Amino acid sequence: MKKYEMITQYAAYTAREITQNEENWKKYLTTASKLYKYPFKDQLLIYAQRPDATACATMEIWNKKMFCWINRNAKGIALLDEKSDTGLKYVFDVSDVHRGGRGSSLPYLWNMEKEHQKVVLERLEAIYGSTNKKAGFSKRIQELAEQIAENVSESLASDLEKMKKGSTLEYQSERTTKEEFHQTLSNSIAYSILKRCGIAENVLKKTIKFPYIHHFDTMQTLSQLGTNVSDLTKPVLVEIGKVVMEYDKTHTRNKKSVAEKLKPKRTQETQKESDSKTTIEVQETSIPKNEKEKETFLNLTTSTKNHSVLNEEEYLRNHSISNENAQEDNSNENENFLISNHSH
């Protein structure tokens, strides 16, 4: 069996698995919430192969943009790709790579803290509409998810009517289908956002449930749900990421500014006092009293100075050689690694 056919079948199998019950769907959404910039079909296959993945990219992006190298024996995650000759492309999780040296970087993965909640809600409400100010963070995110789903669920549910054949939804009325689709869509958006924001499962399970997920039991019906969950969640999480990064940068600058202001400043009197002490110490330094002592003193001073210069020059020379060797070693290692991967 060709690898392409195997991956296609694997996608269909995983689709059936994640709609079997509520717990399976939540496990999928947890992985998808970390990979929110990927489309549904890619999220599905990444979840199937690496449910613990957090940030994925192709080898080309890791090597040429991030200047990171793939770990030896790392296994790529196969994704469907119509543009490829084989119908597949491979991505690697951040846990499969290491930094390549100077200029390399790992992706920025934002973390939501309690201090971010207020500014995040302000930004989201400015975009999607107001929420109950007296409610907690989780509840207000659910309200926003409800508003997002409300704007599109009716038209999307109408499209779903054409895809119901062969699924459990086929035997339900149009009205029931719309209600189930709307609730599942809204709750999936809310769960994905809150899960990525680090809200604990014991908090989420009290208010977010998926009683109808097993009705989306064909690839077509699941794709209609999954694609729209992914598409509607992505801009929200992108916006949250921006807010968190902006807040952290500003907060860090403010902390540095406060720290600078709290540093004790040297006054002119303190400077004069210090200079005075130095002058006294110099005046009290033992001065050679005769020609023999003077000659010994000058020899000692010259010897110390030359020794200091020699050490500095030797250090710079050794340091330069060390850097050249390190660069040569890195170059050889990277060249060998890329040749090894190309041969595979």
Side-chain angles (χ1 to χ4, degrees):
M1 181 185 294
K2 291 183 178 180
K3 188 71 179 286
Y4 174 82
E5 294 173 352
M6 185 177 73
I7 293 299
T8 303
Q9 290 183 14
Y10 200 23
Y13 169 79
T14 305
R16 290 193 298 271
E17 283 294 303
I18 64 175
T19 56
Q20 285 289 315
N21 55 59
E22 188 173 348
E23 291 305 312
N24 287 359
W25 181 242
K26 289 195 289 187
K27 287 177 183 177
Y28 159 74
L29 289 177
T30 299
T31 299
S33 70
K34 299 171 188 173
L35 305 162
Y36 57 87
K37 293 184 179 180
Y38 276 86
F40 168 68
K41 65 175 185 176
D42 289 348
Q43 291 174 336
L44 185 67
L45 279 170
I46 294 173
Y47 169 74
Q49 298 166 76
R50 287 288 296 276
D52 60 339
T54 56
C56 297
T58 61
M59 181 182 288
E60 183 180 13
I61 291 176
W62 282 125
N63 290 169
K64 295 184 178 180
K65 291 188 177 181
M66 309 299 288
F67 300 103
C68 292
W69 310 116
I70 309 298
N71 298 335
R72 297 186 189 280
N73 302 318
K75 188 176 180 181
I77 303 168
L79 304 179
L80 299 175
D81 182 14
E82 296 176 359
K83 297 178 182 178
S84 169
D85 293 338
T86 61
L88 298 173
K89 67 177 179 181
Y90 293 87
V91 296
F92 296 84
D93 184 50
V94 65
S95 61
D96 294 325
V97 306
H98 62 276
R99 296 180 66 170
R102 182 178 296 178
S104 65
S105 62
L106 294 174
Y108 168 73
L109 300 175
W110 55 269
N111 288 310
M112 180 81 169
E113 303 293 346
K114 194 168 184 180
E115 62 185 299
H116 299 128
Q117 292 181 359
K118 181 180 177 182
V119 287
V120 164
L121 284 170
E122 287 174 355
R123 178 73 64 85
L124 295 181
E125 285 185 329
I127 299 170
Y128 298 103
S130 60
T131 60
N132 181 8
K133 300 291 190 292
K134 295 181 180 179
F137 179 77
S138 296
K139 184 62 179 174
R140 291 173 72 178
I141 291 294
Q142 289 179 59
E143 287 183 41
L144 288 171
E146 173 70 23
Q147 293 174 30
I148 293 169
E150 184 67 37
N151 292 333
V152 297
S153 60
E154 187 164 346
S155 61
L156 294 175
S158 297
D159 295 337
L160 185 62
E161 282 295 314
K162 305 168 188 175
M163 310 172 187
K164 293 196 318 183
K165 190 173 182 180
S167 71
T168 304
L169 295 172
E170 182 181 3
Y171 307 102
Q172 296 178 349
S173 67
E174 185 175 349
R175 181 179 177 181
T176 301
T177 299
K178 285 182 179 180
E179 290 174 354
E180 291 185 4
F181 179 78
H182 173 77
Q183 181 179 329
T184 308
L185 177 65
S186 174
N187 285 355
S188 296
I189 294 170
Y191 187 89
S192 297
I193 295 170
L194 292 169
K195 199 69 178 177
R196 180 61 184 84
C197 289
I199 304 302
E201 180 61 31
N202 62 345
V203 174
L204 300 180
K205 69 180 182 181
K206 294 177 181 177
T207 55
I208 302 179
K209 301 184 183 301
F210 302 97
Y212 310 119
I213 189 61
H214 62 285
H215 292 171
F216 298 84
D217 50 1
T218 62
M219 198 62 185
Q220 277 192 309
T221 55
L222 176 61
S223 292
Q224 178 71 346
L225 173 65
T227 298
N228 285 289
V229 170
S230 177
D231 291 349
L232 295 170
T233 300
K234 177 182 174 180
V236 180
L237 289 176
V238 167
E239 203 61 43
I240 292 175
K242 289 179 183 177
V243 175
V244 170
M245 184 169 65
E246 290 167 7
Y247 180 91
D248 287 347
K249 282 184 177 179
T250 304
H251 198 60
T252 301
R253 283 198 299 267
N254 289 342
K255 275 186 176 180
K256 286 182 179 178
S257 178
V258 171
E260 287 295 325
K261 289 178 180 178
L262 292 176
K263 276 184 180 179
K265 295 184 178 179
R266 297 186 65 181
T267 62
Q268 290 183 354
E269 291 182 4
T270 307
Q271 184 65 41
K272 287 179 181 178
E273 202 174 302
S274 175
D275 292 344
S276 175
K277 286 181 180 178
T278 303
T279 303
I280 292 170
E281 286 174 1
V282 170
Q283 289 173 349
E284 292 178 352
T285 301
S286 189
I287 303 297
K289 295 179 180 178
N290 54 49
E291 290 299 321
K292 188 175 181 180
E293 286 184 4
K294 185 177 181 181
E295 183 180 352
T296 303
F297 178 78
L298 289 172
N299 288 338
L300 178 63
T301 306
T302 305
S303 173
T304 304
K305 182 179 179 182
N306 290 338
H307 180 67
S308 176
V309 171
L310 178 64
N311 283 344
E312 183 179 3
E313 290 176 350
E314 184 177 358
Y315 167 78
L316 291 174
R317 184 169 61 254
N318 291 340
H319 187 64
S320 176
I321 292 171
S322 175
N323 278 344
E324 289 174 2
N325 290 339
Q327 289 173 0
E328 183 177 353
D329 290 344
N330 283 339
S331 176
N332 290 336
E333 181 183 351
N334 292 340
E335 181 179 355
N336 292 336
F337 170 73
L338 290 174
I339 291 171
S340 172
N341 274 276
H342 182 69
S343 64
H344 288 304

